[in-house]
Amino acid sequence: TTYEYRMQQLTQIRKAFADRTDDIIAAVQSDLGRHPIEGFQGDVMTLVTEVDHVLKNLQEWMQPVVAPHPMMLQ
């Protein structure tokens, strides 16, 4: 999968959470009985923060890593 594709998908996930925050909070409140503030901080913002972290670091994480091979496998 390409860097551009992953960035696009992650950006769409972030946008979906931003656009549907109220619906997500209402669902979490209805299903789990959480207070709206707890739903926002614990569910919506946690995911948005994680997506932002991945967006920031994705290019570095996708760089090839040279791993040494044990002598027996060379």
Side-chain angles (χ1 to χ4, degrees), residues 8-70:
Q8 177 189 21
Q9 295 298 304
L10 289 164
T11 302
Q12 288 179 357
I13 289 170
R14 190 185 193 294
K15 184 178 180 335
F17 265 77
D19 291 348
R20 304 295 301 263
T21 296
D22 293 338
D23 295 333
I24 295 166
I25 291 171
V28 169
Q29 185 177 17
S30 173
D31 293 349
L32 304 175
R34 289 193 182 155
H35 189 275
I37 293 174
E38 183 183 2
F40 178 74
Q41 291 176 337
D43 295 300
V44 176
M45 285 311 299
T46 299
L47 184 98
V48 169
T49 302
E50 289 294 320
V51 170
D52 287 344
H53 180 69
V54 174
L55 288 169
K56 180 180 174 185
N57 293 289
L58 183 63
Q59 191 166 19
E60 178 185 343
W61 293 346
M62 288 184 68
Q63 296 301 314
V65 176
V66 177
H69 290 52

